DNA sequence: TATTACGTTTACGTTAACGTAAAGATAGAA
DNA sequence: TTCTATCTTTACGTTAACGTAAACGTAATA
């Protein structure tokens, strides 16, 4: 039935995770699905949060860290003092991410060097120099 | 004494990790220090490997993944067939890293948007509109 | 010589992020 | 109504990456 909501297995299939994982995320307060009786009903907002959690995972963030980042997106904090705090946190996360990018670039450079010497070795072989 | 080697605590201090961590990495075959008696002697090469391991950690790689990447750097594989395999692996890792970069950029864009609306809210407040 | 600093091995403990199994409720199809 | 699918809760198990403690060896220093 079209309810505008997702069942637990809907999301599990879509994102190729287990239902246990979804229940675990709720248990940890990362997702807060509604209930119809005892059955969980996930909203579009829950789905977005899930996307962010999984993206965080791919970047090597812990669930706690992902939660911190996700919480930054919620503009419930309409108070100015809180907003400044929010901006500070965003700045922190930005620096962390920029650092990650730099490390990735360093790794890519290293790989490129190794690749180059591999290719050199290969072409030397195909030159039939020996 | 200048031996051209590092003691376990030398490396522990330099990289701000525990000696347990270094022993653990050896146990897992990620580092292979020599021994003088029972005491570990780490070489400059060990130190480089350690750097790569820690960089991998910061990027959210498991020790197993870090090992795979590090192994790519070792040009012991002078055989052509092996070299081609090596190039394939490098390509795989490159794609993985490029993907990570894309995800980071996505995250940075999201943060930027949130930041923008925060700033908008703040300046609206300081306008004293209410 | 006794203490301090540093090294060793062995082994049990811990946290995160789930996996897996048991036992049961509910709703629609055969 | 019985079967099948899908949901629930509860709870013990598992892996990675170390932490922590015990018990010991060695070497320089007070």
């Amino acid at each position: 039935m079209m309810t505008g909501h997702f069942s637990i297995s809907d999301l599990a299939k879509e994102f190729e995770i287990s239902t246990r994982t979804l229940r675990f995320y709720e248990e940890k307060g990362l997702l807060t699905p509604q209930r119809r009786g005892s059955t969980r009903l996930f909203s579009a907002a829950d789905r977005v949060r899930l996307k962010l959690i999984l993206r965080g995972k791919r970047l090597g963030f812990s669930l706690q860290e992902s939660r911190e980042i996700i919480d930054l997106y919620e503009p419930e904090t309409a108070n100015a003092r809180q907003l400044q705090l929010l901006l500070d946190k965003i700045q922190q996360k930005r620096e962390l991410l920029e650092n990650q990018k730099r490390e990735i670039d360093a790794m890519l450079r290293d790989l490129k060097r190794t690749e180059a010497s591999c290719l050199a070795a290969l072409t030397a072989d195909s030159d039939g120099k020996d």
Side-chain angles (χ1 to χ4, degrees), chain A residues 11 15 23 50 55 76 78 82 94:
Chain A
L11 290 184
F15 294 102
R23 293 195 187 95
L50 179 56
R55 181 203 260 142
E76 334 166 318
Q82 300 266 18
R94 186 201 307 287

Side-chain angles (χ1 to χ4, degrees), chain A residues 26 29-34 41-42 46 49:
Chain A
E26 184 191 12
L30 288 160
L31 298 176
T32 49
Q34 297 176 251
L41 291 182
F42 294 86
D46 287 321
R49 288 177 70 91

Side-chain angles (χ1 to χ4, degrees), chain A residues 25-80:
Chain A
Y25 289 167
E26 184 191 12
E27 198 181 317
K28 292 294 168 180
L30 288 160
L31 298 176
T32 49
Q34 297 176 251
R35 299 284 183 137
R36 184 179 48 191
S38 66
T39 300
R40 276 164 260 254
L41 291 182
F42 294 86
S43 68
D46 287 321
R47 188 168 163 282
V48 168
R49 288 177 70 91
L50 179 56
K51 269 192 173 181
L52 294 173
I53 294 168
L54 296 178
R55 181 203 260 142
K57 274 199 58 175
R58 288 191 297 274
L59 292 175
F61 291 176
S62 71
L63 293 183
Q64 178 54 39
E65 289 172 322
S66 285
R67 164 152 46 183
E68 286 174 20
I69 290 187
I70 292 170
D71 288 346
L72 297 185
Y73 297 149
E74 307 200 337
E76 334 166 318
T77 333
N79 162 328

Side-chain angles (χ1 to χ4, degrees), chain A residues 7-8 11 24 26-27 48 56 69 72 81 89 125 130:
Chain A
S7 79
I8 193 168
L11 290 184
F24 180 74
E26 184 191 12
E27 198 181 317
V48 168
I69 290 187
L72 297 185
R81 209 161 301 238
K89 278 194 155 191
D125 278 1
D130 73 324

Side-chain angles (χ1 to χ4, degrees), chain A residues 64-130:
Chain A
Q64 178 54 39
E65 289 172 322
S66 285
R67 164 152 46 183
E68 286 174 20
I69 290 187
I70 292 170
D71 288 346
L72 297 185
Y73 297 149
E74 307 200 337
E76 334 166 318
T77 333
N79 162 328
R81 209 161 301 238
Q82 300 266 18
L83 279 180
Q84 189 51 52
L85 244 164
L86 200 59
L87 286 171
D88 294 350
K89 278 194 155 191
I90 288 178
Q91 184 55 29
Q92 279 178 36
K93 289 295 173 188
R94 186 201 307 287
E95 281 165 19
L96 198 147
L97 290 172
E98 298 285 7
N99 271 329
Q100 283 212 16
K101 280 185 68 173
R102 269 191 285 278
E103 307 236 32
I104 287 177
D105 282 328
M107 221 167 221
L108 283 171
R109 272 196 302 278
D110 287 352
L111 287 178
K112 200 159 198 167
R113 263 198 291 275
T114 309
E115 189 181 28
S117 56
C118 282
L119 286 172
L122 274 178
T123 51
D125 278 1
S126 62
D127 279 353
K129 269 277 185 170
D130 73 324

